[in-house]
Amino acid sequence: MKIKSFRDDLHTAYTENRWLVLSALFILLLRLAFIGLMGLMPQDAYYTFYTEHPAASYYDHPPGIAWVLKIFTTVLGKKVYAVKLADTVVTLLTLAFFYRLSLRFLSRVKASNALLLFSSTLMITILSLVSTPDVPLMLCWTVSLLCLYKAVFLEKKVYWLLAGVMMGLAFDSKYTAVFLPAGLLLYLALSATHRKWLGTAWPWLSLVLMVVASAPVLWWNVQHDFASFRFQSTGRARGIAFSVTDFLGVLAHQAAILAPVLFFSLLWILYKIIRKYKAKLWTVQDHTLFLLCFFLPIFLAFLSISFIYWVKLNWMMPAYITGVIWVSRYFSHRMIRWQQAWAVVIHVALAIELRWYPVPVRSDDVWVGWGRMAGAVMALKRAYPADFIFSADDYKTSAVLNFYLEEMVYGQNIIRKPALQFDYVGTRLAALQGKNALFINSIPRIGNEVSEKRFADSLRRYFRNVYPLRPIEVKRGERLVRKFLVYRCEYYLPGRPGISER
């Protein structure tokens, strides 16, 4: 009977909202096409690098994304499509649990609307195509909320235990998961109906289980002088400076990943709710309060920080799980149609960009040219088989070359610069003394190579001789789209002026 009822709901939704359903399917098909169309991103390569150096955790992020990629690359091989498929499958699971969570707060029709709004965003497309810690975080966050709902509202005590484990797995994905226990305690403190739980052992046992499930991350940090925690906290504080421009930039990229109708409607309705309830938001209905407690803290925290620090577009993503469920209540059919129209336009524009690349991206965070560059480096390596290879653009070129080449490609720790996880993979740089190297230097802004060439000259501090080879150029037709400078560096001197090893 349940299957028949669900089938009837789908039929009714299709006949009444044919354009909306077809547009959602169109976006889904585009995403599946993007798996084969979109090239390797540096983030894909970097987190695959994690999988090749198994550890309890890693310097800049917990191991969740490494676990996901390890499963898929073990089964399908270290292929670009395997990495993209991993992201897509996990994100589809997130959508499935999002719908189940929505049904706890909304009618079937409203839950379907919430799913439509959420699933058609550029945010979901990014999660489906680019490997980041947010991919497993979003899944674990959604399942955690579903478990917490059943524990709190349905009083099914076993779900307190499951929620603790899932919150721990969320923390094993990304440190943003600290907002989960914060949201839980905030809700229980504000809810007159469910405050009673604070006087029982269950929420506290749930938090204990979260800590237990987070043990790999905690253990790694203890072993490494809390390096990862320091990097993600005090390490980021160095870039603090007041900037209204950064705040406006954050509003712009959040509007892009959600589509303007959804994002600005969310801001407007939030303003109206705050104005209505003023300092007494806890007096709203319990279900609404639950949604807001897992939306407002993370959303407002990062929105406030954006005045003094550049907030990346993915940092607020978990907030939108309950944020979209909450705001979808206020969406009329007309607003949903406008949102969906924006979503289709954005995804068609993305498809054009991925296929023909009409708008060059002046950054190394791009999907174009990495494979061809790696092929050129393989050919170059045949001419200099004894040379080791390194790059120094934070992690991107080194990670990509590690993905494609069957040898260790080094990061910028070769020249005594912090190199993220490359500092923690057990390489002994002193063993490279006296060897020659090939240095690959990406040019994010083609035609402006002065600073890159000047940087290459600084390599002479670490090698007896440095001279340029023919650069690697990647073209689409007659158009130059990527360029990499190549240098031969002779006789490595790690002791001049000295490189610390880990």
Side-chain angles (χ1 to χ4, degrees):
M1 293 296 293
K2 287 184 178 180
I3 295 175
K4 185 177 184 300
S5 175
F6 180 65
R7 187 167 62 244
D8 291 342
D9 288 341
L10 286 179
H11 178 72
T12 302
Y14 176 72
T15 54
E16 295 181 357
N17 305 284
R18 184 172 300 177
W19 184 85
L20 295 179
V21 173
L22 290 176
S23 64
L25 290 174
F26 173 70
I27 291 172
L28 176 60
L29 290 174
L30 277 181
R31 286 189 186 124
L32 295 175
F34 291 162
I35 292 175
L37 188 62
M38 188 176 183
L40 186 76
M41 290 287 289
Q43 291 85 350
D44 301 328
Y46 183 60
Y47 297 118
T48 303
F49 179 74
Y50 276 16
T51 71
E52 296 174 321
H53 300 274
S57 190
Y58 299 90
Y59 174 70
D60 38 349
H61 286 294
I65 185 61
W67 296 343
V68 170
L69 295 181
K70 185 64 175 179
I71 294 170
F72 280 81
T73 55
T74 298
V75 174
L76 300 174
K78 195 169 72 170
K79 309 291 184 183
V80 176
Y81 78 85
V83 174
K84 303 294 184 187
L85 187 61
D87 302 326
T88 297
V89 169
V90 172
T91 302
L92 286 174
L93 288 173
T94 301
L95 292 177
F97 282 104
F98 174 86
Y99 180 66
R100 292 190 62 183
L101 181 66
S102 299
L103 288 171
R104 300 293 171 176
F105 300 91
L106 307 169
S107 67
R108 284 191 177 275
V109 172
K110 289 288 188 181
S112 298
N113 290 341
L115 179 63
L116 184 69
L117 291 170
F118 191 68
S119 65
S120 297
T121 60
L122 183 59
M123 174 181 71
I124 294 298
T125 301
I126 293 170
L127 290 167
S128 299
L129 295 171
V130 183
S131 297
T132 66
D134 301 280
V135 174
L137 171 70
M138 293 289 279
L139 174 59
C140 295
W141 188 291
T142 308
V143 177
S144 295
L145 293 178
L146 188 58
C147 291
L148 287 172
Y149 176 90
K150 292 182 178 181
V152 173
F153 289 89
L154 305 184
E155 300 191 1
K156 295 183 177 181
K157 294 176 181 177
V158 67
Y159 282 97
W160 283 112
L161 310 181
L162 293 175
V165 173
M166 291 309 305
M167 288 191 292
L169 292 176
F171 190 78
D172 288 336
S173 299
K174 196 171 183 179
Y175 299 142
T176 314
V178 296
F179 283 96
L180 280 170
L184 170 63
L185 294 177
L186 179 63
Y187 172 73
L188 294 180
L190 295 179
S191 171
T193 306
H194 296 113
R195 191 177 300 132
K196 61 183 181 182
W197 284 112
L198 290 174
T200 72
W202 292 103
W204 310 109
L205 182 57
S206 183
L207 297 184
V208 169
L209 286 176
M210 178 184 178
V211 173
V212 172
S214 303
V217 177
L218 301 175
W219 176 244
W220 188 94
N221 274 278
V222 168
Q223 286 184 311
H224 295 88
D225 193 28
F226 299 95
S228 185
F229 290 160
R230 287 187 287 108
F231 170 74
Q232 292 290 3
S233 54
T234 57
R236 294 193 180 276
R238 297 168 189 162
I240 287 178
F242 183 80
S243 173
V244 175
T245 304
D246 282 355
F247 170 74
L248 296 176
V250 169
L251 292 181
H253 67 52
Q254 294 303 294
I257 66 169
L258 286 187
V261 176
L262 179 55
F263 180 69
F264 288 111
S265 294
L266 192 153
L267 288 182
W268 174 245
I269 294 169
L270 179 60
Y271 165 74
K272 290 178 68 176
I273 288 290
I274 292 175
R275 186 177 178 184
K276 178 180 178 180
Y277 289 94
K278 294 183 170 58
K280 298 181 179 180
L281 274 178
W282 60 86
T283 61
V284 301
Q285 189 255 355
D286 264 331
H287 279 68
T288 300
L289 181 62
F290 184 89
L291 294 173
L292 291 176
C293 283
F294 291 98
F295 163 61
L296 285 179
I298 182 172
F299 180 75
L300 295 180
F302 284 125
L303 200 63
S304 301
I305 290 171
S306 67
F307 281 104
I308 58 174
Y309 191 87
W310 177 249
V311 172
K312 296 181 180 180
L313 64 84
N314 56 332
W315 289 3
M316 293 184 185
M317 284 182 177
Y320 299 131
I321 294 170
T322 53
V324 171
I325 294 174
W326 168 66
V327 80
S328 65
R329 294 172 173 174
Y330 304 95
F331 262 61
S332 65
H333 188 71
R334 182 168 177 266
M335 290 172 68
I336 293 172
R337 290 178 69 87
W338 273 107
Q339 167 69 12
Q340 202 66 5
W342 268 102
V344 170
V345 169
I346 289 171
H347 282 85
V348 169
L350 178 60
I352 293 171
E353 177 71 359
L354 290 177
R355 177 61 182 87
W356 290 285
Y357 198 55
V359 181
V361 179
R362 306 301 184 188
S363 166
D364 287 329
D365 288 315
V366 68
W367 58 92
V368 175
W370 293 112
R372 294 186 189 178
M373 179 274 291
V377 173
M378 291 178 197
L380 191 63
K381 189 69 168 64
R382 287 193 288 270
Y384 303 98
D387 291 18
F388 68 88
I389 304 169
F390 75 103
S391 185
D393 55 359
D394 203 14
Y395 70 87
K396 298 179 177 65
T397 301
S398 299
V400 169
L401 288 173
N402 270 291
F403 187 92
Y404 285 108
L405 273 61
E406 297 298 327
E407 65 176 88
M408 177 64 188
V409 176
Y410 298 88
Q412 59 192 29
N413 51 347
I414 288 287
I415 55 173
R416 298 181 67 230
K417 296 181 68 176
L420 302 177
Q421 188 57 30
F422 288 91
D423 280 333
Y424 292 85
V425 294
T427 53
R428 294 191 57 81
L429 302 183
L432 299 174
Q433 181 166 341
K435 293 188 176 182
N436 300 334
L438 294 170
F439 174 65
I440 314 299
N441 192 15
S442 173
I443 306 296
R445 295 181 177 274
I446 298 172
N448 183 14
E449 304 169 8
V450 175
S451 61
E452 281 79 6
K453 290 180 177 179
R454 185 183 301 119
F455 178 79
D457 285 339
S458 70
L459 298 177
R460 300 180 190 280
R461 298 172 57 195
Y462 307 93
F463 294 88
R464 286 184 177 173
N465 189 29
V466 177
Y467 58 91
L469 299 178
R470 183 179 179 180
I472 297 170
E473 295 184 342
V474 178
K475 294 184 177 181
R476 287 199 167 188
E478 297 299 316
R479 185 164 60 109
L480 180 65
V481 293
R482 295 294 305 279
K483 186 174 182 179
F484 300 83
L485 300 181
V486 182
Y487 291 84
R488 183 100 192 284
C489 307
E490 295 180 334
Y491 204 93
Y492 180 47
L493 298 166
R496 194 181 74 182
I499 297 178
S500 60
E501 295 183 0
R502 298 185 187 271

